[in-house]
Amino acid sequence: MKKIRLLIVDDSALVRQVLTSIFAETPDIEVVGSAADPYIAREKIKQLNPDVLTLDVEMPRMDGVTFLGNLMRLRPMPVVMVSTLTEQGADVTLRALEFGAVDFVAKPKVDVKESLREYGEEIIGKVRMAASARVRPLERRAAARPVGGVAEKLSADAVIAPRSGKKHFRTTDRIIGIGSSAGGTEAIKDVLTKLSMDLQAGIVISQHIPAAFSEPFAKRVDGLTALSVCQASDGQQILPGHVYIAPGDRHLMVERNGARYVCRLNDGPPVNRHKPSVDVMLRSLVQNAGPNAIGVILTGMGDDGVAGMGELKATGAPIIAQDEKSSVVWGMPGEVVKRGFADEVLPLGRIAQRLQELVSAD
């Protein structure tokens, strides 16, 4: 089996040492080198030809995002960013994702050595995923941390019990549920920026993202789209033309309150090792919207949202999956397609138009 060749770029000797020791225990990943700054990294990329980079955000001589922009223009390759969980770190990391980073992991601010070891499984998983990701040159671009790692994998039943027998009458009150993971922040932006402000449907989104990143992400997208975008709050009414993004440490659910849909936040356990979980959000749509919902599954690693899309399809709701070619990682949408849950498999650039057509058809 060909090993994944990894180059670690970080100005901290301790972080380079700890990451190297973590990957030393993996049979399929080989750390071929490390670099203390982007200038050294540039030369080592030429010499060592790595498959994947882990890249620190804050480094001397050149910051990680500037280096990433140059790299993705001249020599596109899979990059996993290593970022601190701060407001400033969140903003910089979101820019890195815009420039083409596949995903990111959170660097602890204290007790780096032990904390990084605790995140070992997550870091290893993201490097493996990055090695198979589709990376495009920066000019061609249109422009989570998953919780738990090795914890027991729970289903949506752990948060919201299944309920059968409820009938939903078809109404014109539509609601769109979008789920995504790796590569999803950019995919979400692509969809939302192409929707018109008169969209007659509310949108709820569960994106695998840490708590410190979800609100900056919502604010960033709000400034780019004609729709009104915010981080969801408990009890908030879901209005047409508005978008509600799950906080990074809560499950987002939809509840029917009389004639209105409202957001409910839940602090239950991670589902499919994620919080927020796409499956939890979709289960709530099954129970409270049924065929009045539209399900959309975008790029992402793993299978969170797959069971939920199957449940939602069974109510008569249309299901759209992003196609393999336009996905950074065709894990979540790929599983939805393979299990026969997707009514349509579309390239990312076509999804917004199709949503407009589905909503306008009512």
Side-chain angles (χ1 to χ4, degrees):
M1 182 177 63
K2 182 178 179 294
K3 288 189 176 183
I4 298 166
R5 295 170 58 81
L6 175 67
L7 178 66
I8 296 169
V9 185
D10 199 296
D11 67 326
S12 167
L14 175 61
V15 171
R16 296 196 304 272
Q17 177 187 352
V18 173
L19 289 177
T20 300
S21 67
I22 288 172
F23 289 107
E25 302 170 8
T26 59
D28 59 332
I29 301 172
E30 177 187 5
V31 176
V32 294
S34 64
D37 67 47
Y39 291 93
I40 299 172
R42 183 176 60 191
E43 296 306 313
K44 292 206 172 183
I45 289 171
K46 295 175 184 177
Q47 296 168 10
L48 303 170
N49 193 29
D51 300 310
V52 180
L53 251 66
T54 63
L55 179 61
D56 188 16
V57 169
E58 299 175 357
M59 289 184 293
R61 300 211 286 171
M62 183 189 296
D63 68 88
V65 175
T66 300
F67 175 66
L68 177 69
N70 294 333
L71 181 69
M72 299 307 287
R73 278 188 289 269
L74 302 172
R75 206 273 197 194
M77 63 182 300
V79 176
V80 177
M81 302 301 293
V82 180
S83 171
T84 52
L85 278 174
T86 63
E87 186 172 345
Q88 181 180 358
D91 184 66
V92 173
T93 303
L94 290 170
R95 283 199 288 119
L97 294 173
E98 291 173 358
F99 280 11
V102 174
D103 209 337
F104 62 92
V105 292
K107 180 194 292 185
K109 290 179 284 186
V110 296
D111 197 12
V112 173
K113 187 172 183 179
E114 288 306 313
S115 297
L116 274 174
R117 289 192 180 280
E118 290 176 9
Y119 293 144
E121 287 298 319
E122 177 189 348
I123 297 167
I124 291 167
K126 291 198 173 184
V127 167
R128 285 175 176 150
M129 175 272 296
S132 62
R134 292 164 189 81
V135 178
R136 300 174 181 86
L138 184 60
E139 289 86 350
R140 292 168 54 189
R141 296 183 170 274
R145 182 187 81 179
V147 178
V150 296
E152 179 186 2
K153 186 176 179 180
L154 302 176
S155 74
D157 295 0
V159 174
I160 177 171
R163 192 169 67 217
S164 59
K166 182 172 181 178
K167 300 293 183 182
H168 296 279
F169 294 100
R170 189 65 185 270
T171 74
T172 56
D173 297 325
R174 303 305 296 273
I175 185 164
I176 299 168
I178 300 176
S180 55
S181 187
T185 54
E186 289 305 291
I188 288 167
K189 281 168 53 181
D190 186 281
V191 172
L192 297 185
T193 53
K194 292 176 180 173
L195 292 170
S196 64
M197 64 185 301
D198 61 353
L199 181 75
Q200 292 304 300
I203 301 175
V204 290
I205 297 175
S206 286
Q207 158 73 33
H208 300 156
I209 196 168
F213 286 57
S214 53
E215 187 168 12
F217 174 57
K219 289 179 179 178
R220 197 175 192 85
V221 179
D222 184 54
L224 299 173
T225 176
L227 304 173
S228 177
V229 183
C230 67
Q231 177 174 271
S233 58
D234 192 60
Q236 189 174 17
Q237 183 177 354
I238 298 172
L239 301 171
H242 287 63
V243 182
Y244 308 85
I245 297 175
D249 59 354
R250 295 289 187 276
H251 296 297
L252 173 58
M253 302 192 298
V254 174
E255 184 178 279
R256 187 81 177 183
N257 186 351
R260 306 181 304 164
Y261 292 120
V262 297
C263 296
R264 288 296 177 203
L265 300 184
N266 182 282
D267 195 20
V271 168
N272 298 320
R273 303 193 180 107
H274 292 286
K275 184 178 174 180
S277 162
V278 183
D279 269 341
V280 170
M281 181 184 73
L282 294 175
R283 173 71 61 80
S284 73
L285 285 173
V286 167
Q287 296 183 358
N288 293 279
N292 302 305
I294 300 170
V296 180
I297 191 80
L298 301 177
T299 174
M301 177 174 61
D303 60 2
D304 186 34
V306 176
M309 287 298 175
E311 293 178 15
L312 194 58
K313 179 181 175 66
T315 70
I319 305 299
I320 297 173
Q322 185 177 352
D323 73 354
E324 183 174 7
K325 186 176 181 181
S326 67
S327 295
V328 173
V329 181
W330 208 52
M332 290 158 54
E335 283 300 310
V336 170
V337 173
K338 291 171 188 172
R339 299 193 197 186
F341 299 152
D343 295 298
E344 299 181 73
V345 184
L346 301 175
L348 181 61
R350 174 80 174 82
I351 291 175
Q353 180 185 343
R354 186 58 182 139
L355 289 173
Q356 293 275 179
E357 292 168 354
L358 288 169
V359 172
S360 301
D362 292 323

